[in-house]
Amino acid sequence: MEFVINGRNLEISDRFREYATEKLDKIEQLGDKVQRVDAKITKELSARMADTSLTVELTVLCRGPVVRAEASAADKFAAFDLAYNKLLERLRRARDRRKIHHGRHTPVAVREATADLEPASTGQPLYLETRADEVEPTAAASAPADAYESPNDLPAGDSPVLIRRKVFSGASMTLDDAVDNMELVGHDFYLFVDSATGAPSVVYRRQAWTYGVITLDAKCAEGTEEPREEVLAYRATEAVASA
C-alpha cells in the first residue's frame, strides 16, 4: 500500500509523518484491498480563520469506490484525528455494503439497529440537531485543496472570474450506488451515469435525511417526452430480495 502525504503553505515534519503512518494499519484493515492513501494538509494564511487554519484531507483509493474525509482545526494533529475518525466511519459503512452485496441480503432490523440510540429531542427538528453535532462541508468547501490556486493564476484575458474544469470518467451505476458513493466521499452531490437509463445524472443531499436526483433526458429536450417526477425507495430491490 502506497502512502503519499504533502502539504500546502507548510512543511510536513517527520513527527507528523510518523504519526500519520502509524494510523495506516486500521485503514488497510477496513478498506477493500487498499492501493493508496493520500493525505493533503493545507494551511490557510488568513488570520481570520485561526481556529480552522489547518485542513487535512484523506483519500483512500481501493478496489471499490473512492473514500474521502476532510476536517479543519487550529492544529494539524487535531485536524488529522477528526478527518481520520470520519474516514474510518465511512470505511466501515463501505465494508457493511460489501457484506450485503456478497450474499448477506438480510438487513439488520430497525429495532435492533436503533436499540442503543438515545430518544430524539422534541424541541427541534431532527436534521437541525444532527447538523449541530457535525456540519458537513459544502460542495465548495469539500473540493480538493488543489482545486483553487493563487488569485494571480488568471487565464488569458483580464477577467477576474475563474472557471476551472475537471474531467472525470463517467462511471455507470445505479441510483442507490451513487447515493452510497456520495456519502463515502462526504460531498453534498455526486455526478454519475444512471445505469438504468444511460443518462447523465446528479444525486444531492436534501434536508431531513432525504436525497434528490436530477437526470438530463434528451427526449425531453426534443419534446418527445414530458419532464416528470417520481419518488423512489432507497435499496427497495434488496429489501424485496431479502423478504
Side-chain angles (χ1 to χ4, degrees), residues 109-120:
V110 174
R111 180 180 301 178
E112 179 182 348
T114 60
D116 298 331
L117 297 180
E118 295 292 333

Side-chain angles (χ1 to χ4, degrees), residues 8-43:
R8 185 178 182 187
N9 297 331
L10 82 166
E11 294 184 1
I12 304 300
S13 65
D14 292 339
R15 177 169 170 261
F16 183 82
R17 190 180 300 273
E18 292 175 359
Y19 181 81
T21 303
E22 292 175 355
K23 306 286 188 177
L24 294 181
D25 289 342
K26 191 67 174 179
I27 295 176
E28 192 168 16
Q29 291 173 12
L30 293 175
D32 184 14
K33 295 185 178 180
V34 178
Q35 302 171 358
R36 171 170 167 165
V37 178
D38 287 338
K40 294 182 181 180
I41 298 86
T42 303
K43 182 177 182 180

Side-chain angles (χ1 to χ4, degrees), residues 31-33 63-65 94-106 238:
D32 184 14
K33 295 185 178 180
R63 187 172 62 177
R95 183 185 61 180
D96 292 341
R97 293 299 322 153
R98 291 197 303 272
K99 289 180 180 178
I100 294 178
H101 285 305
H102 290 168
R104 302 182 186 180
H105 290 287
T106 304
E238 290 184 2

Side-chain angles (χ1 to χ4, degrees), residues 145-208:
D146 59 354
Y148 306 98
E149 303 296 340
S150 167
N152 296 323
D153 183 22
L154 295 176
D158 56 358
S159 173
V161 180
L162 300 181
I163 301 176
R164 186 173 300 277
R165 181 196 299 272
K166 287 199 172 185
V167 179
F168 298 92
S169 61
S172 178
M173 63 184 69
T174 66
L175 175 57
D176 295 330
D177 288 338
V179 170
D180 292 340
N181 288 352
M182 179 185 68
E183 293 293 351
L184 290 177
V185 297
H187 287 175
D188 290 327
F189 64 91
Y190 191 85
L191 295 169
F192 69 105
V193 176
D194 194 331
S195 60
T197 63
S201 305
V202 56
V203 64
Y204 59 94
R205 184 182 291 110
R206 304 178 66 195
Q207 293 182 344

Side-chain angles (χ1 to χ4, degrees), residues 232-243:
L232 305 174
Y234 173 75
R235 296 291 176 192
T237 303
E238 290 184 2
V240 172
S242 63

